[in-house]
Every structure is written in C-alpha cells, then in structure tokens.
Amino acid sequence: MYPNAVIIETDRENGNIEVDIIDQNIGKEVVFNSANEWMYTSWDVRLNTLPDVIRTTVSTNYPDYMIDDVDFYETPTGNFYDVEIEKGNRDLHIKVSESGELMK
C-alpha cells in the first residue's frame, strides 16, 4: 500500500498491530488486526488543507462549533474525516465522508 514508506515504529495494542510510518512526508498510523489484515490508516490533517466541502458540512450542521482537530482515515470500506469540534467545554467527534456527507 505504501511502497516508499519508512517504518518508524511498530507496536501491539489491544491485539492490533500499529505501525507508524512516514509516507510522502506525512506521518501515518497503519493498523492491522491479529490476523494481519489491514483495518485502517490514519493521519492528521492540517486545518489549512481541509477541503471546503468538509468545512461547509461542519458549519452547516454544527454552526456554533469550531473545528479543533481533524484526522483522515483510509479503510477497506471507504475513506472519511474524523473531525473533532468544540463549543465551550463540549467536544464532539463527527465522521464526514470525502464527499461531505455526515456519517454515523
């Protein structure tokens, strides 16, 4: 999946294998289950690179919230953004598809 990646660290957590890599100058976490099947890859997304469609979805559905942190997930069933939003002392994590649809 990541032929030019450099492996930084490998760890086992909750029965899963977590591999930290650098791929295309991006630090990513690749996670496999105990049967060595790929579960997902995730990495931090800089707010200034967040696609407008994701910003629009958040501001439309959560108008009083600010985006705090964003991670991108590649999975066998599709990709999505995990967006952490906050309002005062309340933090929420919402999933937004690449096309900007809220996911459950």
Side-chain angles (χ1 to χ4, degrees), residues 9-77:
E9 181 179 9
T10 302
D11 194 18
R12 199 173 275 279
E13 185 149 336
N14 299 324
N16 295 328
I17 301 165
E18 298 177 358
V19 182
D20 294 331
I21 64 171
I22 301 291
D23 180 53
Q24 300 177 3
N25 293 321
I26 300 172
K28 299 180 178 181
E29 180 180 65
V30 186
V31 179
F32 300 89
N33 65 19
S34 60
N36 291 324
E37 299 167 325
W38 175 64
M39 294 174 59
Y40 65 86
T41 302
S42 67
W43 61 89
D44 291 330
V45 175
R46 292 189 197 128
L47 294 181
N48 64 346
T49 65
L50 188 62
D52 288 339
V53 67
I54 307 304
R55 288 182 187 280
T56 300
T57 297
V58 172
S59 64
T60 300
N61 291 281
Y62 298 90
D64 297 331
Y65 284 78
M66 299 293 296
I67 297 173
D68 184 43
D69 188 46
V70 180
D71 292 318
F72 186 77
Y73 281 78
E74 290 180 329
T75 74
T77 58

